[in-house]
Structure formats: C-alpha cells, structure tokens
Amino acid sequence: MSAGETWALYRQALDASMDGMALLDSAGRYVYANAAHAAAYGFARAEDLIGQSWRILYDDEGLHFIDEQVFPILRSQGRWQGRAVGRRRDGSLFPQELSLVFLPDGGIVCVVRDISDRVKAEELARMSERIIERSSSVVFRCAPTPRWPVLYVSANVTAWGYRPEDLLSGNISFADIVHPEDIQRILGESAQYYATTLIRWNEHYRIVTADGAFRYVDDETIVTRNPDGSVQYAEGVLHDVTERVLAEQAQRLYLLLSENTHDIILFIAPNGSIREANTAACTAYGYAHDELLRLNIQDLRVPEARAAIPALFAQAINGSIVFETTHMRKDGSAFPVEVSSHGTDYNGEQVIISLIRDVTERRAREAEIAQLGRAVDESSDEIYVVDGDTLSCVQANLRAQQNLGYSLDELRQMKSVDVAPEMTAERLAEALELVRAGIRSTAMLRTTARRRDGTTYPVEARLSLAETGGKTAIVVIFTDISERLAAEAEHTLILTAMDQVSEGIVILDEDERLQYANQGLEHILGVPAASIMGKTLAELPAGPGFEELHRGAAAAVLSGQAWTGTLTMTRSDGMPLTLRASVRSIRQPEGQTRAYCVVIHDATEEVHREEELRQSQKMEAIGLLAGGIAHDFNNLLTAIMGYADLLTYSLPPGSPEAVGAATISQAAVKAADLTRRLLGFARKGKIEDVPVDLHSIIHDVRSLLERTIPRSIVITEELDAGQSSVLGDSTQLQQVLLNLAINARDAMPEGGTLSFKTRNVHLDALFCRLHPETREGWYLQTDVEDTGCGITAENMPHMFEPFFTTKGVGKGTGMGLAMVYGIVRNHGGTIHVYSEEARGSVFRMYLPFTETAAAPSSDSQQQPVSGHGRILVVDDEDVVLKVSADILRQLGYNVDECISGDAAVSWYATQPQERRPDLIVIDLNMPGMDGIQTLKALKTVDSGIRALLSTGFGLDGRLPEATAAGFAGWVQKPFHPYELSVAVAQALKTQH
C-alpha cells in the first residue's frame, strides 16, 4: 500500500475517533483536526481550524500554563500528558485531558478530550465525601465473606480513631470494630438476611472506637446481588446516634428518678400552669395527679409569697436560680421549701422545671445546729477542729478565741503546736492510734496551752476523729484544769496532812462502808487501809468493838449532832486497844446526809498513863499519909529509944531494971523498923547515897535465901549487866530484893524457880511517855522472877498499895511491896509487875546506874562516943528536943535548946562569942523556917558555924542543898545514943 493510501486509511480512523485529534506544524498552526477536536473547542467544522495557531484556543492563564509547565517537558521528553483548561470559540472554558507528542520535524500531535462531565462527577463525589466527612455517618462497603473485610470506607471514620488505610489494607475488618457483646447477634442476623432476597435492612448496635470507647450506631444496609442472587457486596451507612441514645437513657433515668425521688418536680408553663408533676409532688401537696395538673403555681404558694413569682420566672428563663419560699398543701397547711428552677423545652414548649425540696426538717436541724453552735460557743471548754493532714486549725469556738487571745482568722493560720507546743504530730499520732483502730472513740492526754501573751495553763485534751469534706479532721476539746489541779494539789496536801496525824480518820458512806481511811487508822488497827476499803464497821478486824461506833453513827444521823465515845477492842495482832471516837455527819448543801466522818484516837497509851498517874497519885497520897505518921512516930521512938538506952547504960547489967530498959529499947527498934518501912514507901527513908554494886547485893541475898527458904525452890542468877552500880542505900536495896524474894517464896509453896536477872537497857521516849516518873537514858534492869501461882487481874492494880495483902490473917502486914515501891522510887527508879495466874510473876525494876564503883563495907562501932564542947539542939518536937539534949549531956557536952528555927537565930544573935555553940543539931522539918533555912540564917550571923542535920524522913533528894548550906553531916531519926554520938563527933571533926 502506498503512503497516500495509508494516510487516507489513518485519516478515516482519526476522523471517526471520539477524542479530538489534531496535527500542528513546527510553527504551531493546525495542519489537521478531526470533527471531535473542532467540536471540543466549539467549531462546527474542522476546516475552520486549519492554518490557525493553537494559541487562539487558550486564555492567558491557560497559555501561561502551557508555555511554563507543558513545553519545557515536551521539548525535553518528547511528550506530555495531563489536564488543562481550554477555551471554546464562544469564550467559555472547559476542562480537558490533553496529550502532546513532539514530531521529528518540529510538528506536534495533539489529542484533546472534553472531561467536563467527568470533572463534574468528580466534584460531586468530592462534595459527597466532604458532606460525609462532616457528618457523623460513616459509609462502608464490605465483602460478604467472614469478618466482613472492608472494600471502601469514608474518610470520616477517623472520628472513631481509625485510619481508612488500616481498614482497607485488611489489618482491621469491619467485624473487629463491632462491640464484642453485639458481634454474634449482628453476624447471625446478617447471615439470615443474606439467605433471603432482601436488599435493604436496618440494624442497631454498638461499635468500639480505637481508644476503647463505644458508640451507638444505626446501620442502613443495602446489598448488591449477583445474577444468581448471591451477595456481591454490602454497603452500609452507619449513623452515630450515641447522643440520642444517651439522651433517651437520661430521659428514662430522669423519669425513673423523678418518680422515685422524695423531692418535688414540677414542669411549669410561663403562665404558671402546671404541665407535669411527679409522684412526690402529689404526695407532698395532697392532690391527685390530674388535680395538680389543673392548678397554677400560685395555688401552691402561700398568699404572701405569690407576688414574687413573675420576677422569679424571668430569672429562671434566663438561667438557673435557687431560692426559698413557702408552699401550701391542699389542706391549707404551709411548709418551707427550697426551689431550684431553670428553663427548658418540653414537648416544643418553653417551660420551667422546678426541683422543690421540703426543708422543714433541714430548718429544724439548722435551728438545732445553730443552737448547738451557740452552745459550743458558750461552752466553758475550748473546741477546735484541726486538719488531720496538715494539723492546721480549721475552726475554733468563741471560748478558744477568748482564752488564747487570737481571732478565728489568726487561729486558722496556726497549727496545733502553736496552741499547745507538746501537741506534735508524733504525739497526736500516738494518742489517736487506738481511735483510728476503732478500739476507742476518744483519746485523752494532758498538755499545756499557750496564750497570745506567752502565759500558759494546763489543759486536758479530748481527741476524736471526724470526716468532713472527704477529709479526716481531729476534733480537739481543751478543758482548763488549772483549778482542778490546784484542787487536786490541795486535796493531796490535805490527804498527806491527814496521813501525818496519829488519829485514824475514816469516811463512811450511808451504808457505813469505808470510802477512805488514812495511815493513822492503818497504824491503830494494824491492817493496810486498802484491805478494808468498802467494808462495813462490823467487817473490820476489830469488828465487835465497832458495835458502839455503829450505834453512835446512827445517833448522829438521827440527832444531827456529833457523837463521841470510848471503844475497847483488839488489834489484828491481839493487842487490846482503847479508842476514843467521834462521829459527825457530812451533809450536802440541802441538808441531806452524804457520808460520815469518823475520827478515831488511840487512847491506849493515854489511858495507861492516866491509870499510872492515878495510881501514882494514890500512892503519893498514901505515902504522904504514911510519911507523916512515920515522922511523928519517929519523934516518939527517938525519945523511947534514947531514954531506954540511957537507962540501960546507967543500970547495973542484969538487974531487972536493966532488962526492962533493954526490952523497951528492943520494942522501939521493931517500931523503928516499921516506920522505916513506912518512910521507904513514902520515899523519905533513903539514908545513904553512895555507889552500890547491885550484883554484890544479889549475891548476899541469894546466900541468905539459900539458908532460909525450902530446898524445893531453885535460885538462879543471870547477871548480864555490864554496869551494875547504882547510887543509893545498900541496906534499903537489900531489903527490896529480900522482900521480893520472900513474896516469890510464898507464891511457890510446892517449889519452883526463883531467878535474879540483870541487864543494861536504854529507856526511850515512848517508854518514858508511858511511865512519866522515868527519864530517858540508860538504866540497870533487875528482874525478880518466879514460877509460882501468879497474880489475878483484879489484884494487879493494888499490888504496891500499903497494907494491901493477899495472905491470910497474921501472915503479912501489907507493907512489904509498898516499901519496895517507895525505896525504888526514892532511888530515881520505877518498878512494874507482869503476871498471869498459874504462870508466875516478874517484878522488874529500873534503877539509873552509875559508873562509880561501890566502896567495900566496914563494921560500925556500937559504943557511944563521948566528947566535950557546947551544942545547940533545935527541934520543934519537945520530946525529941529533950532526949537529944539529955543524950548529949550524958556524953559530956554542954547543951542549949531551941524549939524552932526562928528562936535559934534570935538566941544565937544574943549570945556572946564565948557562949556560942561549937555545933548546932538542927531538925530538917520544922514549922516556919526548916533546918536548911535556919542554917542559912545562922550563917548570916556567924559564917563559921558548924551544923548537923537531923531528919525523920531522910533527905529526899535535898542532899545537894543541905551540903551547899554548910551541914557537916546528918543523922536519921529514930537514933540510938551511939548513932547520935558518932554523927556529932564526926561533925565536930569537920574542918571549917
């Protein structure tokens, strides 16, 4: 085929092409164009384009695009294909798809396709995409195979957190985004739909977003089926209806709540008519539901509150408001309410929803809380609320502010340690440990609070926990215990003082049970006070003795007066007690008896001392009587003995007259022995005051007794005293031991043991208080003990009384123990007896010992000693005066006589020097001036005078005074001429 034929064939094909085909020369002019090309640019015939430049077919923007974007590529690559915008003959623009090929001769092959419809379709598709993207609906196309792989998905699937490429790539299937609880249902229902001829259906289920949340969707599914009826694919539009579903749920919940809430809910139209009301409203107002819907809100307000309704409605339409007012029930009764109102749309109408709450109880609680608040502020305690974490003060009552001196705002800036330095976090945690564990409701601790001015005061803190605002708070209550501590200190001081007193102090309740007892009662009863607390008087260890106290307490209650009495009982250790008790009622201010106060004084020692004193006074009185009798008797015996001895000296020995005189003298001696005993009892018969070894006297007495008492009586000695010397008269002390030994012999007619025991003891203050006749110090204790019949209790108080005897008639004078008592007392000692019937007796005497050793004894000359010189005898007794003068004259002395001390002083003063006596014998006991006073008076006349003291009593402790006055010696009446002669001779020998 020739080239021409070939071109003709190609041209026919080009002319028939749907695309616009053209050929341009190197200058850009049309050489060929088919009808489609010409039609694309708005030319009716292709010939109209031949010879025309292509540049007429584009506007400036298009030409600029081709020159700048297309030709550089065409020249470099030889071809270009893309989209451009052409201009039709009428000037309208159209989108085109342009393809250019550069020919070797510089010409260009051009292919144009009008794509206006395609662009419009694409634009519509893009618009649809943009609409879908902006909507909540997501478009899916899925294959009907298992798990529904996604063939297409709209871009707005990103709203659920998924990227389209993740779904389109098969990484995530459609079934993967359906909620796990719904997927089985949806798969099952879709399988049923696929098996039918249905091409459209709706589903409602949940999908799961990429972040795990879920959304509610309505799925409109359309399936495309193959000719055989099988499903080719399924397309669905998923509408996100989450908000609608939640709103519906909220509405259902609201309806549920509104019907079950205790609050009133009213839907009120702008004109005040009630559109809807819940059950609580019907109950509260007392109306049926249909009755309530026929009412206006004004019908539910008390008249005085209705005027405010329009203003409140206006506020509620513009926003939410809360206010309080008073509503009225069907029966006319009013009640306070709190109203919360806001405007909303209800069934297409603007209404006001009011949530109304009956606040009757709340107001009552508020009033109660206000009253409680006032009570808290008026409380005498300080009350704080402290933050449990920071320990900062949150609240404080008025009392706390006043006591500390801080305002509430200042306290809220402070912590617990600022108020009480000891209330640290550690101490509070420790104190609240049991409270936090639920074991205790409160904790207690004592601390010190500090005021603004720096002063402190003690407080008792009560701590408890409270929940407030979801946080734990510590409620702290401070009680100022300054007065209590002062009272406790005073109480302790009083109790301490009460424990120091020797009296027993007891507090009894109305049932006579012990509520308090001091240490004095413990000492008296010999039992710990704790062991008798709560017991009655009858239950005490000395119970029987408290019967009188019980009667006294009853008397005090009945009479309202104090009762005092003496009780006798036995202590826990068996010691008998004598108690003096007083009972007084402790009364309340209104006069009722609250308790009893009993003061118990142990009078055992006092009674013993009183008995000792009475006994001593009785013995003293008897002694004075006995001493007076003995003194007078001694004066008489002095004359009898003196003249009897003078007669004996002057008569021929052996003559009847001499025998008679001797008999008189012997009788006088016996009488003198009796007076000596009386004087010994009266403690006026101690003649000597020299160191005496009592052990030696005991040996002598034992030697004498072993020869005179029955051999059935064994005599023993236990002489343990290291110091056995005492100051006294050996003869009298021997007489004491002999008398005690003879009494012991008489108490043991069947035999037994007689013991002499000594030891040195120290008598303390307690012993001396019990025995006032003694002085504290060291003594020689001497016991004369027998195993005889003992002494009866009724005879014990009379043992030392003169003339008291338990022996038969003619077997005792009753003077033995009386003399013993007097001699021991006259020696500065004391004597006691301890005895029980059939268990023997112990006579125990205490004598002050001396460290001076006793001098050995010597025999005395028995013949009168003659002498010469002048002697003055002074005595108030004529018989004594005469016999003394006669004896002295018989001995060779010149004798003058005076009847009294005054007479002696007067006589002496008138005597010339040569007639003044060489010695004056003066009686100690005389009316007026006694012997010592007389010598003192005589010394004023003549300081060199010698004097001899004569006494029928003994010196009775006046030896130092007599010696100081100047007496050269003394003689005891009654005396023999020999005794007087020796005393006078010794006195005359005394140097001035």
Side-chain angles (χ1 to χ4, degrees), residues 521-798:
L521 186 71
E522 293 185 4
H523 178 72
I524 291 172
L525 297 183
V527 294
S531 67
I532 58 176
M533 286 297 104
K535 293 186 177 181
T536 63
L537 293 176
E539 294 171 340
L540 295 183
F546 277 110
E547 295 177 358
E548 181 66 21
L549 182 60
H550 169 72
R551 290 192 292 270
V557 173
L558 295 175
S559 65
Q561 303 296 321
W563 175 87
T564 302
T566 301
L567 314 173
T568 301
M569 58 193 62
T570 303
R571 200 166 65 177
S572 61
D573 59 2
M575 179 179 175
L577 298 174
T578 301
L579 308 179
R580 293 193 179 103
S582 63
V583 182
R584 292 180 182 274
S585 298
I586 301 175
R587 298 185 180 276
Q588 295 176 339
E590 55 271 20
Q592 296 177 336
T593 298
R594 178 183 176 186
Y596 310 103
C597 177
V598 181
V599 179
I600 300 174
H601 174 71
D602 186 354
T604 305
E605 292 183 10
E606 293 177 12
V607 170
H608 182 72
R609 287 199 299 270
E610 290 170 359
E611 183 62 30
E612 287 272 347
L613 181 59
R614 283 194 296 270
Q615 182 71 10
S616 177
Q617 289 172 342
K618 180 171 67 174
M619 299 297 285
E620 187 72 24
I622 296 174
L624 287 173
L625 176 61
I629 294 172
H631 176 269
D632 293 342
F633 199 39
N634 270 343
N635 288 331
L636 296 176
L637 290 175
T638 300
I640 295 171
M641 290 174 63
Y643 283 120
D645 286 346
L646 289 177
L647 283 175
T648 302
Y649 298 150
S650 62
L651 293 173
S655 64
E657 292 82 0
V659 173
T663 301
I664 293 171
S665 179
Q666 290 171 1
V669 168
K670 291 183 179 181
D673 183 63
L674 180 58
T675 59
R676 185 183 295 272
R677 294 190 184 193
L678 286 173
L679 288 173
F681 169 74
R683 293 177 294 154
K684 297 180 183 289
K686 181 181 177 185
I687 303 303
E688 296 182 309
D689 201 9
V690 296
V692 177
D693 184 359
L694 203 62
H695 285 179
S696 296
I697 293 177
I698 291 174
H699 294 327
D700 293 342
V701 170
R702 177 178 180 177
S703 178
L704 176 62
L705 291 173
E706 286 177 341
R707 295 193 298 269
T708 57
I709 65 174
R711 293 185 177 274
S712 59
I713 297 176
V714 178
I715 303 174
T716 64
E717 293 179 359
E718 295 179 24
L719 308 181
D720 298 329
Q723 297 287 344
S724 59
S725 293
V726 298
L727 289 176
D729 187 300
S730 62
T731 301
Q732 290 188 359
L733 293 174
Q734 186 181 58
Q735 193 170 8
V736 166
L737 294 176
L738 281 171
N739 272 281
L740 294 176
I742 290 171
N743 282 341
R745 179 203 64 189
D746 294 341
M748 297 184 289
E750 303 299 329
T753 301
L754 170 62
S755 301
F756 293 94
K757 301 177 182 179
T758 65
R759 64 179 184 134
N760 296 123
V761 296
H762 183 271
L763 302 185
D764 57 15
L766 176 60
F767 185 91
C768 295
R769 284 200 304 270
L770 292 173
H771 306 282
E773 71 276 8
T774 58
R775 297 292 181 267
E776 187 173 354
W778 284 95
Y779 285 76
L780 175 63
Q781 174 185 314
T782 304
D783 293 349
V784 179
E785 183 177 349
D786 67 67
T787 57
C789 60
I791 304 170
T792 62
E794 60 269 20
N795 288 336
M796 288 283 287
H798 309 288

Side-chain angles (χ1 to χ4, degrees), residues 27-251:
R29 291 186 295 270
Y30 275 96
V31 176
Y32 167 79
N34 66 358
H37 190 95
Y41 288 102
F43 288 90
R45 295 179 309 132
E47 289 80 4
D48 294 337
L49 287 174
I50 300 304
Q52 298 287 337
S53 175
W54 64 270
R55 300 186 71 86
I56 65 172
L57 302 179
Y58 295 92
D59 61 5
D60 294 339
E61 185 175 354
L63 291 172
H64 179 75
F65 172 75
I66 292 172
D67 290 339
E68 297 297 329
Q69 302 291 333
V70 176
F71 277 175
I73 297 173
L74 181 63
R75 291 190 186 99
S76 63
Q77 298 182 6
R79 65 176 55 246
W80 181 87
Q81 185 176 355
R83 286 189 179 188
V85 178
R87 183 175 64 182
R88 296 186 182 95
R89 189 173 189 177
D90 59 6
S92 62
L93 300 177
F94 69 96
Q96 60 184 202
E97 191 175 78
L98 182 62
S99 178
L100 301 176
V101 177
F102 201 60
L103 296 176
D105 58 1
I108 296 173
V109 176
C110 177
V111 180
V112 175
R113 181 180 296 171
D114 187 348
I115 59 173
S116 296
D117 292 338
R118 189 200 306 174
V119 169
K120 287 181 180 179
E122 289 176 352
E123 182 64 26
L124 287 174
R126 283 194 295 273
M127 288 179 63
S128 298
E129 287 287 344
R130 287 196 293 272
I131 291 171
I132 291 172
E133 288 173 0
R134 292 191 182 103
S135 72
S136 60
S137 300
V138 178
V139 178
F140 275 92
R141 177 181 292 174
C142 300
T145 56
R147 306 301 297 175
W148 300 334
V150 178
L151 303 176
Y152 169 82
V153 62
S154 59
N156 64 342
V157 75
T158 56
W160 294 344
Y162 299 107
R163 295 186 306 170
E165 54 266 31
D166 292 335
L167 293 162
L168 294 173
S169 66
N171 293 332
I172 302 174
S173 68
F174 185 81
D176 292 333
I177 70 172
V178 179
H179 196 283
E181 295 179 2
D182 296 339
I183 184 62
Q184 295 302 324
R185 175 176 62 84
I186 299 303
L187 288 173
E189 291 177 353
S190 296
Q192 293 177 3
Y193 295 146
Y194 288 169
T196 67
T197 58
L198 289 176
I199 62 172
R200 181 188 298 270
W201 60 80
N202 294 329
E203 292 283 358
H204 178 76
Y205 53 89
R206 292 167 292 174
I207 62 96
V208 180
T209 64
D211 60 4
F214 63 87
R215 309 288 293 177
Y216 291 94
V217 295
D218 282 342
D219 184 356
E220 297 181 18
T221 300
I222 300 175
V223 296
T224 299
R225 296 182 180 271
N226 294 313
D228 59 0
S230 63
V231 176
Q232 185 179 1
Y233 56 83
E235 294 178 322
V237 179
L238 275 63
H239 304 288
D240 191 335
V241 294
T242 303
E243 284 72 19
R244 187 195 74 196
V245 171
L246 293 179
E248 291 172 351
Q249 290 177 349
Q251 184 176 10

Side-chain angles (χ1 to χ4, degrees), residues 950-971:
S950 172
T951 175
F953 285 113
L955 292 180
D956 194 23
R958 299 187 70 183
L959 177 61
E961 185 182 3
T963 303
F967 284 102
W970 67 88
V971 64

Side-chain angles (χ1 to χ4, degrees), residues 324 336 359-378:
E324 291 190 3
V359 294
T360 303
E361 293 184 2
R362 192 196 72 189
R363 286 192 177 181
R365 286 196 303 272
E366 288 174 349
E368 183 179 351
I369 291 171
Q371 183 178 3
L372 180 60
R374 289 192 295 272
V376 167
D377 276 338
E378 294 171 1

Side-chain angles (χ1 to χ4, degrees), residues 298-309 325-328 332 334:
Q298 292 190 3
D299 299 326
L300 302 179
R301 288 274 189 98
V302 293
E304 57 270 22
R306 293 170 182 169
I309 292 177
T325 184
T326 305
H327 279 194
M328 188 169 58

